Amino acid sequence: MALGGAMALSGAVLTVPAEAAPNADTPVATTQLNKINPVDVRYGWVGASGFQYALGNAGNLQWADFPGVTPPAHAGPEDLATGTDVQTTGNTGTVTQKHRSTGTTATVTIPADHRFRAASGWSVLTQDAADALHVLRAGPDGTTTDLPVTGLPPGAQPTNTYVTGGSVRRLAVVYAVDGISSVGFVDLADGTFRTYVTGIGTGRSITFNDSWLVANGKAIRVDSAPGTEPATVTFPAKPLAVVGDQLLSGDPDFVSSPDDEVVTATSLVTGARRVVLADADGAFRATPDGGLLATAGPSGSDFHVHRVLPTADGNVSAQPVFTVPPTRATVDGLMIAGGELLMFGNATVNAGWDAAYAVPLDPTGRPTGTQVRRSPYVGSSPCLGGDAACPQLEALGDGRFAYLYTGTDGKESVHVAGLGTDTYSAEPTDSSAGRIGTGTGRYVLYNGGTPATQKIADFPRGADGETALDRPRGAAAIWGQRLWTPGTTQGSVVAYDLKAERNVATVNTGAPCTPSEIQAVNAWLYWSCGSAGPAGVYDRAAGRNITVPAGPSRLADGYLVRENRTTHELLLTDFHTGTATTRAAAVLPTADQNTGGNTGRWAVDRFGGNVAYLTAQGQVALVTAGVPTSPLAQMEAQTDAAAGPTTQDPWQPVWQLSKPSTWTLTLTNASGNVVRNLTGDSKAAAVRASWDGRWGDGNRAAGTYTWRLTAKPRDGQGPDLALTGTTTVN
């Protein structure tokens, strides 16, 4: 294993559902594995109604409108305020101006002896042959008006530093007199110039709006009396813009820790600071209406352009106005369990950094949140010839998944990850060239190649594993804490309780053979007499055998999925009524992903869920199974009391249930008084709670407490589940 370091505005990465192939289900949604690193956003023009941008290395600029914004209705050079939505093109001969939101245009003609210096809104600043500055604007009759700039000190020489950005009324000019540099504003309305900061030195940093000018750490109000000295202002990073009374700063080019990836607002009135945007490691642009555009977000799946504007109280507010589309990574494996889609692949820029990324799903299979990495960067075992899927992955229904890892000695270990980005559990097999069978919760079935042994690896609560059972390789399946294997008589299947370490049930499936394959989900037992069949599902609840199509299949709750490797159809057989009916859930791409098969290019949620598959475009399509789910049930539980318990070592019970739920855990004392209520949503289909032994008021008392778990099925099908037991505080 190698460990590494590294939408819609609501966050879900959704696209329009893919068009279904003939006679196949229409996906309810598609999603994709996104690169962790966000796409670079390069800003072009920015105005009051929207902005131009380019993504990554793309050269073509695109438009984005600010949502819900009504730009100025009147647009003409005589009204400077409407210049906040003017786009300027050209800098020699003529300058074309267009008010983007209304379409009004104007043309400024630059005199032959003038040189273009800057443009802001409806105004163009030029410099003539004598180095004098002029403000040019289009006149109402199509001519160009020329307003000479007045007020520059005698001997002032512009230094070719002209700054725009935070205003269409003012434009900053740096000039030098006797080797001393100063900065001031040209009032674009009347052409007057005023100096604000003298002796700014080199390495100039100038930001401003209609209220403030900040130059090289000196801040001064625009309406201050002449002769007012600027005040020193300190701020944590590069100045980006002045918005309202706040100086916004950040430094995406130098990031030593996540704390550096922020935009900070420093009050120019009080000096107070606050973080405006976290994870702001993208591009920035001061806007002519006195705001700031900033790209920020925690990942490539959740990256947005934010518009920062002043608020009435002198503060600032940042609102997302555009979702940066993520870059798609290659999906190398699929898992789906308990309403979670797990996509396996490399979403980084580093070769070999594979991991599992989770996307939550609603009961129909639609994504409801953003992609989150849920495992360390892992190195899985190489693919074996004839694998039904590669890499081999098994979602366990409790937020974790199992995979194989091959050591330097060629021996395999069963690894389990999924509860954190820096931890995993392992159990050696002393075998090689093996395959993962089924698994649920804490138990994983491993079929060794050399030697051909079968092991049940036990991973309680996320701890390192141990071997719960070692036996000859054969047909077997795990559901909860029960191992199902063929019995001694034809068609019989025996349930072995892995905790009680004894056989607890024998079921006569009616199979006309000793099953060569067994799968178990809830009350359903799938059996097969080989690839040619026959095959069936035994309903333990109703005591009946249901004939189903033969061939490699994956059992789910009330249905079966198999891939026709000739027609590439993904076939769903619904048998919950006692009669099997088959439909095409999807038509898969002709070109295989890896070697194809379950977890390679399609996956089935055994824990009351749906179906996912890879499209030819590399996205993941989601199909609603449309089969009623079984009642919510407990499959296994770990409720032993913890010593104490304490805040550092709390009681952390785990109930492995059969499908996702929302839950409440109520603790009562010996007198029957409720001392604590804990609530939450299941992790996949597992309830994971934590109690430090304290009551709701913070006190604690030794004794025996009764717990009651009430779980409501998230899909709304079937009754609530109620479980009870005791734990102790000492």
Side-chain angles (χ1 to χ4, degrees):
M1 164 169 288
L3 298 182
M7 257 171 207
L9 291 180
S10 62
V13 183
L14 292 173
T15 64
V16 176
E19 183 178 345
N23 303 318
D25 291 356
T26 299
V28 294
T30 56
T31 188
Q32 63 190 44
L33 177 60
N34 299 319
K35 293 286 189 182
I36 293 174
N37 297 327
V39 178
D40 290 333
V41 177
R42 294 182 287 112
Y43 294 116
W45 172 85
V46 176
S49 63
F51 61 97
Q52 275 184 307
Y53 68 94
L55 298 176
N57 296 322
N60 56 314
L61 290 171
Q62 304 178 64
W63 293 99
D65 292 318
F66 294 136
V69 169
T70 302
H74 174 69
E78 70 278 11
D79 185 355
L80 294 189
T82 65
T84 57
D85 211 35
V86 167
Q87 184 181 18
T88 300
T89 55
N91 57 18
T92 58
T94 60
V95 173
T96 302
Q97 301 167 322
K98 182 177 181 179
H99 192 264
R100 179 171 178 263
S101 54
T102 64
T104 299
T105 61
T107 300
V108 173
T109 301
I110 300 177
D113 63 338
H114 285 213
R115 289 160 292 171
F116 175 92
R117 290 305 184 211
S120 181
W122 294 112
S123 304
V124 176
L125 186 74
T126 63
Q127 189 174 15
D128 64 21
D131 290 334
L133 299 177
H134 301 254
V135 176
L136 307 183
R137 267 195 298 276
D141 58 354
T143 62
T144 297
T145 63
D146 185 337
L147 187 64
V149 173
T150 61
L152 277 162
Q157 182 66 42
T159 63
N160 288 329
T161 301
Y162 307 96
V163 183
T164 61
S167 169
V168 293
R169 168 91 182 204
R170 294 172 173 83
L171 192 152
V173 176
V174 177
Y175 68 89
V177 176
D178 297 331
I180 298 175
S181 296
S182 303
V183 62
F185 280 144
V186 175
D187 188 320
L188 297 173
D190 59 17
T192 60
F193 181 86
R194 174 183 166 184
T195 300
Y196 282 92
V197 183
T198 300
I200 63 172
T202 59
R204 294 157 191 162
S205 171
I206 299 169
T207 55
F208 63 91
N209 62 4
D210 280 327
S211 300
W212 293 89
L213 168 66
V214 179
N216 283 23
K218 300 289 186 178
I220 185 170
R221 287 195 64 92
V222 171
D223 59 1
S224 61
T228 301
E229 288 295 320
T232 299
V233 58
T234 59
F235 43 92
K238 291 180 180 179
L240 304 173
V242 180
V243 179
D245 292 332
Q246 309 287 323
L247 174 64
L248 301 184
S249 62
D251 191 357
D253 297 325
F254 179 76
V255 176
S256 60
S257 74
D259 293 338
D260 294 334
E261 297 179 357
V262 298
V263 170
T264 301
T266 301
S267 172
L268 296 173
V269 178
T270 67
R273 294 179 186 173
R274 76 176 184 89
V275 173
V276 177
L277 287 170
D279 302 306
D281 59 350
F284 304 97
R285 172 68 69 87
T287 60
D289 57 355
L292 174 73
L293 287 188
T295 47
S299 72
S301 299
D302 194 10
F303 205 58
H304 307 279
V305 173
H306 293 77
R307 191 183 189 197
V308 185
L309 291 174
T311 57
D313 60 0
N315 215 315
V316 296
S317 173
Q319 299 296 327
V321 294
F322 175 75
T323 298
V324 181
T327 302
R328 186 165 64 239
T330 300
V331 177
D332 288 324
L334 285 179
M335 295 169 280
I336 183 170
E340 279 191 332
L341 173 68
L342 292 173
M343 294 176 288
F344 185 80
N346 186 356
T348 76
V349 296
N350 302 302
W353 285 27
D354 295 321
Y357 296 84
V359 174
L361 308 174
D362 71 11
T364 69
R366 292 180 174 88
T368 61
T370 57
Q371 165 187 307
V372 177
R373 181 162 67 92
R374 279 274 295 281
S375 78
Y377 298 112
V378 303
S380 58
S381 292
C383 301
L384 301 175
D387 274 351
C390 186
Q392 295 183 60
L393 305 164
E394 179 74 1
L396 302 178
D398 63 352
R400 299 184 293 174
F401 69 99
Y403 62 98
L404 292 183
Y405 173 74
T406 303
T408 56
D409 61 355
K411 300 295 186 181
E412 291 173 328
S413 296
V414 177
H415 282 199
V416 167
L419 296 184
T421 59
D422 57 359
T423 60
Y424 66 91
S425 305
E427 173 63 9
T429 67
D430 294 321
S431 186
S432 60
R435 287 168 168 78
I436 288 182
T438 57
T440 57
R442 63 190 287 181
Y443 297 110
V444 181
L445 177 69
Y446 169 78
N447 290 310
T450 306
T453 59
Q454 188 172 80
K455 295 179 182 289
I456 311 300
D458 182 9
F459 299 90
R461 283 196 184 91
D464 268 337
E466 58 185 36
T467 298
L469 190 66
D470 196 335
R471 60 190 297 273
R473 180 168 174 167
I478 290 177
W479 186 252
Q481 65 191 59
R482 289 188 173 184
L483 173 69
W484 294 89
T485 58
T488 56
T489 59
Q490 178 176 289
S492 66
V493 178
V494 175
Y496 176 83
D497 191 302
L498 293 165
K499 285 185 172 180
E501 298 182 350
R502 60 184 177 85
N503 292 338
V504 293
T506 300
V507 175
N508 184 7
T509 65
C513 65
T514 297
S516 59
E517 183 183 359
I518 297 172
Q519 296 183 51
V521 171
N522 292 326
W524 313 105
L525 278 175
Y526 168 82
W527 56 265
S528 173
C529 294
S531 59
V537 172
Y538 186 79
D539 182 353
R540 292 190 292 118
R544 60 188 176 192
N545 191 31
I546 307 162
T547 300
V548 297
S553 304
R554 186 69 161 168
L555 178 67
D557 188 11
Y559 67 97
L560 196 73
V561 174
R562 71 188 192 280
E563 176 184 354
N564 185 318
R565 299 286 285 165
T566 301
T567 65
H568 305 287
E569 291 177 296
L570 195 61
L571 302 171
L572 188 151
T573 298
D574 178 354
F575 52 73
H576 81 278
T577 62
T579 301
T581 59
T582 299
R583 72 177 195 267
V587 176
L588 302 175
T590 302
D592 278 347
Q593 171 72 16
N594 297 318
T595 57
N598 175 58
T599 79
R601 61 176 184 164
W602 58 272
V604 179
D605 190 345
R606 299 176 295 144
F607 299 85
N610 302 294
V611 180
Y613 64 92
L614 278 176
T615 69
Q617 293 74 36
Q619 295 179 311
V620 179
L622 296 135
V623 173
T624 304
V627 180
T629 59
S630 300
L632 187 62
Q634 174 182 296
M635 300 162 57
E636 189 267 336
Q638 302 165 65
T639 59
D640 295 342
T646 64
T647 302
Q648 292 74 27
D649 189 15
W651 179 53
Q652 294 181 309
V654 180
W655 291 271
Q656 179 63 56
L657 305 184
S658 59
K659 60 182 180 178
S661 67
T662 58
W663 54 267
T664 299
L665 181 64
T666 302
L667 292 135
T668 58
N669 61 13
S671 300
N673 299 316
V674 175
V675 300
R676 193 72 181 271
N677 267 320
L678 303 172
T679 60
D681 294 317
S682 62
K683 178 73 74 174
V687 172
R688 295 180 181 273
S690 181
W691 184 45
D692 60 5
R694 296 188 180 277
W695 297 12
D697 59 8
N699 293 320
R700 60 179 288 145
T704 298
Y705 292 82
T706 298
W707 57 261
R708 179 179 176 84
L709 177 70
T710 302
K712 295 180 176 294
R714 202 178 73 183
D715 62 7
Q717 297 186 36
D720 296 350
L721 176 67
L723 303 169
T724 190
T726 60
T727 190
T728 58
V729 172
N730 53 41

